[in-house]
Amino acid sequence: MSGGSDTPSSRRPRIIDDRAKDEDPNRKTIRPRQKGSALTADLAGKQEVQGSMSGDRYVRIVRMHGDDFAQAGPGHLVASMEALEADGSVSRGISKAKRVLIGAPLANADSSHERLTKVKALAVLSSDALSSVAYATEEILRVLLIAVGLSALHVSLPIGGAIIALLVIVGISYRQTIKAYPHGGGSYIVAKDNLGAGPALTAGAALLTDYVLTVAVSIAAAVAAVTSAFPELQTHRVLLGVGFILLVTVLNLRGIRESGSIFSIPTYLFLAGIFVMLAVGFVRNALDGFAVQDPPPAAAHLAGNGALTLFVILKAFSSGCAALTGVEAISDGVPAFKPPEWKNARTTLTVMISILTVTFAGITFLAHQFGTYPMEANSSDYETVISQIARHTFGGGNVGYYFIQFVTMAILVLAANTAYSDFPRLAYFLARDKYMPRQYTLRGDRLAYSTGILTLGLLSGTVLAIYQGEVEHLIPLYALGVFTSFTISQFAMFTRWQKRREPGWQMGRII
């Protein structure tokens, strides 16, 4: 080589490994300084590039053909799969095991193909909210029964109506949030934009905690569905729960598109089964003249003898608001949709709220009509409220009953995927703003935020083990995180309407 005042290193082309780039939209690929003829990076051949300084002569660049690089486009080389293989027999063995477990690496250029359709998004981002009907009604009944007694169980109907009204209001509000924040409008982002760092970090902390509890509660409820059908597994609750968490963690490490495909089937089977159960149960109750059955005598030993105070009603209301969990997931996951992202997200949110309203209302109504009650979790004959409704509806332990139990277990296991979608994404935002370690900003081989996924799996497994997999002990912590993040997010949107006076701000402020 020969040249002018530039050193050779200043004119050397940079080879960029495309998979090593993170999501920062402001980051630019570094190109060599040049003047005159353009540089075309090829795997083999000769190019002449004129230096950028006065007096520079042309420099001839000769590349030898090799297997370390592949051409991704004009002037753009990426590291080949062979170049990325680990050195050493032990490292190669670990790498091969990793490939079998989570699949071959994907390039960042493939990320656009990992977007979700509305059908898949309803399964991936709504499974938590849709599956919460499996335990929300039960928690309302548990508070009323233990605090007051059998005579108060009828209050579950007006409490359920109030929760449905709140659900619709929150759903409409998040439709506005999605439109206002088309690149993702979780509580942290909205609060930071309108209220500042302090409220944003409070919302972020509440959400991170809530996502951990989402996994623990969903998995614990899934195990309860299994033990309702097979009581002999009751003593293995924790082991089953940890196994389910491990399964969902591995599935998410494989990447969002594969998890979306896998999770769609159980979600839609659950919805089909629940709608059939509600329809058959409603018809059977109608044929009986909408008679209300009394709970069995076994419920009497759990009944309390307190007064039906406002505090008891509010306690039952807050426990039943577990039905609202996961509503925010769609607004936080707008970037995961296929274009036009925000419109597809709003449509999916509307469908989810509609389904959730019908299923929650139907289960609460049938639970009241059939005289179901929340059983003691440690009892040998334990059954969930959904299990009791299914037995009444289908006339015992037949194919219909076991189908409901199976799909309920499946969607509750996969409901944890909502948290696996949003916990890593929220951790990315916090790490980007330097509130968490930068490792949470990096994508793994399958374009998933592996550090966030592994952290969530570890924390949720620990929480589930500490509380012995019992849903009723986790719900109070769960409700706290939900209400904290919702309240901060809604107040932040109210502040936005007040300050910016954007189109529709008057109605937005009322909502």
Side-chain angles (χ1 to χ4, degrees):
M1 290 187 180
S2 62
S5 57
D6 261 359
T7 61
S9 62
S10 67
R11 295 192 303 271
R12 186 176 300 138
R14 297 280 299 278
I15 305 301
I16 305 299
D17 177 2
D18 182 59
R19 291 195 312 107
K21 294 188 293 183
D22 59 21
E23 281 197 331
D24 188 351
N26 297 319
R27 181 168 181 170
K28 296 181 173 61
T29 301
I30 300 175
R31 300 296 184 192
R33 291 186 296 170
Q34 53 186 294
K35 185 179 181 180
S37 60
L39 170 66
T40 302
D42 294 318
L43 295 178
K46 302 177 181 180
Q47 303 88 33
E48 288 188 345
V49 182
Q50 186 178 13
S52 62
M53 302 299 291
S54 177
D56 283 353
R57 297 183 180 180
Y58 284 96
V59 177
R60 175 171 291 181
I61 302 172
V62 180
R63 286 193 177 84
M64 300 302 294
H65 180 75
D67 296 328
D68 290 341
F69 298 101
Q71 186 154 2
H76 188 196
L77 300 181
V78 297
S80 65
M81 293 297 297
E82 291 79 6
L84 296 174
E85 286 297 328
D87 295 328
S89 57
V90 176
S91 299
R92 283 197 297 271
I94 295 175
S95 178
K96 289 181 180 178
K98 184 179 177 182
R99 299 291 169 261
V100 172
L101 189 64
I102 67 172
L106 297 173
N108 278 355
D110 296 328
S111 61
S112 62
H113 303 295
E114 299 297 295
R115 298 295 188 91
L116 295 172
T117 63
K118 286 178 286 189
V119 173
K120 285 186 178 181
L122 186 64
V124 173
L125 299 177
S126 303
S127 54
D128 175 26
L130 296 177
S131 66
S132 64
V133 299
Y135 49 82
T137 298
E138 182 166 351
E139 295 311 310
I140 296 174
L141 296 174
R142 188 181 305 280
V143 172
L144 295 174
L145 178 64
I146 294 176
V148 182
L150 297 173
S151 61
L153 293 184
H154 70 280
V155 184
S156 62
L157 294 181
I159 291 176
I163 292 173
I164 289 173
L166 179 61
L167 175 63
V168 172
I169 293 171
V170 171
I172 295 173
S173 181
Y174 272 112
R175 278 180 54 89
Q176 298 173 335
T177 302
I178 289 172
K179 186 175 181 180
Y181 293 90
H183 300 296
S187 295
Y188 172 74
I189 298 295
V190 178
K192 183 183 177 185
D193 186 40
N194 297 287
L195 302 177
L201 290 175
T202 302
L207 277 176
L208 289 177
T209 304
D210 192 50
Y211 291 143
V212 172
L213 290 166
T214 292
V215 178
V217 170
S218 297
I219 296 298
V223 173
V226 174
T227 56
S228 295
F230 305 99
E232 59 272 16
L233 297 176
Q234 179 73 11
T235 57
H236 303 291
R237 291 197 311 267
V238 175
L239 184 60
L240 286 171
V242 172
F244 284 146
I245 289 175
L246 180 61
L247 172 65
V248 180
T249 301
V250 171
L251 290 176
N252 277 273
L253 287 173
R254 292 190 66 89
I256 190 171
R257 180 175 59 186
E258 290 196 30
S259 64
S261 301
I262 294 170
F263 296 167
S264 296
I265 297 174
T267 299
Y268 288 111
L269 286 177
F270 171 79
L271 292 178
I274 290 296
F275 277 122
V276 169
M277 183 186 75
L278 294 179
V280 174
F282 186 84
V283 170
R284 288 175 66 96
N285 189 238
L287 293 176
D288 290 338
F290 292 106
V292 178
Q293 301 180 27
D294 294 326
H301 78 281
L302 292 175
N305 55 5
L308 185 62
T309 62
L310 178 62
F311 177 80
V312 172
I313 294 174
L314 291 177
K315 171 65 175 174
F317 173 81
S318 66
S319 295
C321 278
L324 273 71
T325 58
V327 171
E328 186 190 60
I330 291 179
S331 69
D332 198 28
V334 176
F337 283 82
K338 287 190 173 183
E341 291 87 348
W342 72 271
K343 289 185 178 180
N344 289 334
R346 284 182 59 154
T347 301
T348 305
L349 177 64
T350 302
V351 173
M352 182 194 74
I353 295 296
S354 302
I355 293 174
L356 185 55
T357 298
V358 173
T359 53
F360 176 70
I363 289 172
T364 302
F365 174 76
L366 290 184
H368 175 262
Q369 298 298 105
F370 290 158
T372 58
Y373 71 101
M375 296 185 179
E376 200 170 4
N378 292 320
S379 63
S380 58
D381 58 347
Y382 171 76
E383 277 192 81
T384 63
V385 165
I386 290 289
S387 175
Q388 295 174 62
I389 293 175
R391 283 190 187 276
H392 277 95
T393 299
F394 297 114
N398 50 27
V399 175
Y401 167 79
Y402 283 106
F403 177 80
I404 291 295
Q405 293 306 104
F406 172 77
V407 295
T408 300
M409 179 272 295
I411 193 176
L412 283 166
V413 170
L414 301 181
N417 183 69
T418 300
Y420 277 93
S421 298
D422 288 337
F423 181 99
R425 188 178 293 114
L426 176 58
Y428 165 81
F429 290 136
L430 289 165
R432 182 195 62 185
D433 296 339
K434 304 189 186 310
Y435 295 118
M436 290 181 70
R438 68 178 300 273
Q439 283 79 1
Y440 287 94
T441 66
L442 304 178
R443 287 183 180 267
D445 288 346
R446 301 289 295 178
L447 304 182
Y449 295 110
S450 303
T451 304
I453 290 172
L454 293 171
T455 301
L456 178 59
L458 179 62
L459 292 177
S460 58
T462 302
V463 170
L464 183 138
I466 291 174
Y467 287 91
Q468 295 296 303
E470 296 182 2
V471 176
E472 62 268 26
H473 293 157
L474 293 165
I475 286 294
L477 298 173
Y478 202 19
L480 178 63
V482 171
F483 280 118
T484 301
S485 60
F486 277 177
T487 302
I488 293 176
S489 175
Q490 301 310 297
F491 184 68
M493 285 300 296
F494 176 83
T495 304
R496 178 189 175 99
W497 298 131
Q498 285 288 94
K499 290 181 178 179
R500 303 190 185 186
R501 304 295 175 98
E502 297 168 323
W505 69 271
Q506 294 98 334
M507 181 58 66
R509 186 175 59 177
I510 293 173
I511 294 296

